[in-house]
Structure formats: structure tokens, C-alpha cells
Amino acid sequence: MRSRTPDRLCAEAVDLARAAAEEAAFPGPVGEHVALAADGDRVVTHFFECAEPGYRGWRWAVTVARASRAKVVTLDETVLLPGPEALLAPEWVPWSERLRPGDMGPGDLLPTEADDLRLEPGFTGEDAPPPNSVLADDGSPVRAVAEGAGTEGAAGAGRRAPLSGELAQLADTEDADVTPGSPATQPVPAAGAPATAADGSELPVIGTIAGVAQELGLGRARVLSRYGLHVAADRWDEAYGAKTPMAQAAPASCMTCGFLVPLTGSLRQAFGVCANEFSPADGRVVSLSYGCGGHSEAAVMPKPPRPAPPVIDETVVDPLTLRPDRTGGSVEPDGPAEELGHS
């Protein structure tokens, strides 16, 4: 426990502390003695102003101490510490936390981690994954999951896997009508009975042609015409297309980016939606020929290497010469003087 009252002999050793501070600050000057603090029994720290122009508010802290029942004060340590009003650098923030959406410009690259939670393995049709893909690592857990899914998919090709009990129950729950009250009071619709919407209108029965048409978006009174599709495509391509400065400086196009969400219908062949929060096109419809530095495969960050555990061989003794051998040099001391230079 620290003592509240500084030791008298240690507190009076200002000259000893100043000499230590001047030795550490040489050739710079040391300012006035500003304060002292008791760090423990017979341990006192003296503070001196730092006169260096770049260290405004900093102080030289010199700690002195003495042994029990001793009258000689000795020097403990000298260090430069910031004071209450010291000029300090801002706290360092990693680039991954410092980056904000919209900071990326033309030519910038945003590396993605190998185990980025926003990405998962996709099917490319190739036997081997790309060299810079996370699946290229034999020990990657993502590759093991992908290979397991591929094996199950090959075994179950041509047939549909039955739903488990939980999934079937969840599907029935999502399709049921929900009314206020506890779950026990919810009505159970009869098989084949039509469902009703919130406004009272009748909804098509699931599984019928009308129900499938509504899920596909065909149950609307009017849809976008061919002219409307072309006008929208031209507008999107002009804003986020291949001729923009961002796409010209991009390392790859959106067609091969894992953050691209494809559209449905005929626009799927040329457009998608960007899902990268750090991209300037986040949430926008982009052309497949568009690109930016936030491409998922542009700069994959490798995993940090694990250093090998240290091996200490305690059975071998390495000789260490304390004094160099005067006769072991390549130049004879009694030989004729030669000009220095490269041979």
C-alpha cells in the first residue's frame, strides 16, 4: 500500500533527481521541478518540466528510493511521461475499424479476410478452386463444409430431400394465418382451404398455379414493358457501368464478386445488386461489367503464419569467447601498410 506522506530524505533529493533527468535529456534542457509523489515506503518520484518543443505538457519522472534505516538515497529510474495537459497522438485504430462506407475511391483495394463471414464457397464448375480462394487451403474448415455439401448434393441428384420435422413444422407455421392471442388459440386451417390476407382478400392456395404465379411476381395487373426495361438498364449502366472511373480502375468485374446478388428475370444477364457495405455501390443495381476495389477476390488477406514452437537443446554447450583472439585476424600486425580499398 502506498504511503500518503513522502519520505523526507527522498523528497529532499531534488538535486540527485535533476542530475539524472539532465543526463537522460542531454543535450536538451530540463525545466523546473513541478511536483513529487510518494510511490511507496521510502520511494518518491520527482517530476520536472520537459523543455523540448515537441513534448508540450510532458514531464521527466525520476524515481528515487532508500533502503530501510539507510540515509543514502539512490536513483531508481528516469522516464519521460505525459502530464495532464500533454500533447498526445490520437489512439490508434485498425484500418478494418477505421474504414467507413463511402471511403473507397477509384484504384483503392479493400482486402477481404479468408474467413469473411459475409462470403461462403460457391460452385464454379471447376474441379479445383481458384488459387486465391479460401477453398485452396486444404486445412480450411470452409472447404470441408463445401466438400461435404458437394458429396451430399451428388448423392442426392435427381431426387428432392424430404424436409425434416422441424422444417416442415416451420413451413406450416409460416403459411398459417396469425391472429392476436396465444399460440393455443390460433386457428388451424383445413386442408385446401383458401387463406385470407390482412385486408380480407382471398389469397391463392399454396401449390396451385395461382399461388406459384404470385410467388413469381406474375399476379400483378401490369408489369414493366420492354421499353421500361431498356430505359432502366441504360440508367443503371450509366451510373454503375463499365465506363465509370471506379470500374476502369477496378481489379475485376462484379461478375466474379461474391458480394453480387443476382437479379431475377431477363435483367439477371446484365445486372445485380451490390451487397458490400464498403463499396460505393452498396445497395445499388450495378452492371456485371462494373467493379470496385472491394471485390471479394481482389486482395484476399492471408492467414498470419504460426511460428514454430521454440526448441532448446540443453545437451549441447556452445563455447563463447569472452575476449577476441588477437592472432585470429586476416591482417598481420607486422606486415607492410597497404592502401584501403576493395579487392
Side-chain angles (χ1 to χ4, degrees):
M1 184 177 181
R2 292 185 176 181
S3 176
R4 297 182 178 180
T5 304
D7 182 75
R8 182 180 61 84
L9 295 179
C10 293
E12 294 176 355
V14 179
D15 296 337
L16 175 63
R18 176 177 291 276
E22 292 177 350
E23 182 180 359
F26 183 82
V30 176
E32 299 294 333
H33 183 269
V34 292
L36 58 88
D39 297 332
D41 295 338
R42 298 177 299 278
V43 180
V44 175
T45 299
H46 295 268
F47 296 96
F48 299 89
E49 292 183 354
C50 180
E52 293 291 340
Y55 291 86
R56 185 183 62 188
W58 289 65
R59 302 182 300 182
W60 287 103
V62 182
T63 303
V64 295
R66 70 179 181 89
S68 178
R69 299 183 181 180
K71 296 184 178 180
V72 178
V73 179
T74 58
L75 178 65
D76 191 358
E77 64 177 355
T78 304
V79 66
L80 183 63
L81 297 178
E85 300 179 357
L87 180 63
L88 300 176
E91 184 179 358
W92 184 81
V93 179
W95 69 267
S96 58
E97 301 177 8
R98 186 169 60 249
L99 190 64
R100 291 292 179 268
D103 293 345
M104 187 183 306
D108 296 340
L109 292 180
L110 177 61
T112 56
E113 298 182 359
D115 53 352
D116 196 329
L117 298 179
R118 301 172 298 171
L119 300 173
E120 63 180 4
F123 178 74
T124 60
E126 301 292 339
D127 296 335
N132 61 341
S133 175
V134 66
L135 298 180
D137 187 5
D138 295 337
S140 173
V142 183
R143 180 172 183 175
V145 174
E147 291 178 352
T151 305
E152 296 177 0
R159 61 181 177 85
R160 182 178 179 182
L163 294 177
S164 62
E166 296 181 359
L167 293 179
Q169 183 179 2
L170 178 61
D172 296 339
T173 304
E174 292 180 351
D175 297 337
D177 295 333
V178 179
T179 56
S182 63
T185 61
Q186 299 297 327
V188 179
T196 57
D199 56 356
S201 60
E202 183 177 335
L203 298 177
V205 180
I206 298 177
T208 62
I209 297 180
V212 175
Q214 186 177 15
E215 292 183 2
L216 297 178
L218 302 178
R220 296 171 294 174
R222 290 190 299 176
V223 296
L224 197 61
S225 65
R226 190 173 185 86
Y227 171 76
L229 288 176
H230 283 291
V231 172
D234 292 341
R235 184 174 65 253
W236 295 338
D237 186 75
E238 182 179 359
Y240 297 99
K243 297 182 180 180
T244 59
M246 183 69 72
Q248 294 291 334
S253 62
C254 294
M255 182 180 297
T256 58
C257 182
F259 294 106
L260 180 73
V261 180
L263 298 179
T264 59
S266 60
L267 294 177
R268 181 188 181 95
Q269 304 176 4
F271 295 97
V273 178
C274 179
N276 190 349
E277 59 178 334
F278 297 106
S279 173
D282 179 37
R284 306 296 182 89
V285 179
V286 297
S287 173
L288 297 183
S289 58
Y290 181 75
C292 67
H295 195 282
S296 61
E297 311 302 326
V300 180
M301 297 179 60
K303 295 182 179 179
R306 294 183 178 179
V311 178
I312 302 177
D313 189 358
E314 299 179 352
T315 61
V316 180
V317 178
D318 297 332
L320 180 61
T321 304
L322 298 179
R323 296 181 177 83
D325 189 3
R326 298 183 179 273
T327 62
S330 60
V331 180
E332 298 179 359
D334 300 335
E338 297 180 359
E339 296 182 359
L340 299 178
H342 296 282
S343 56

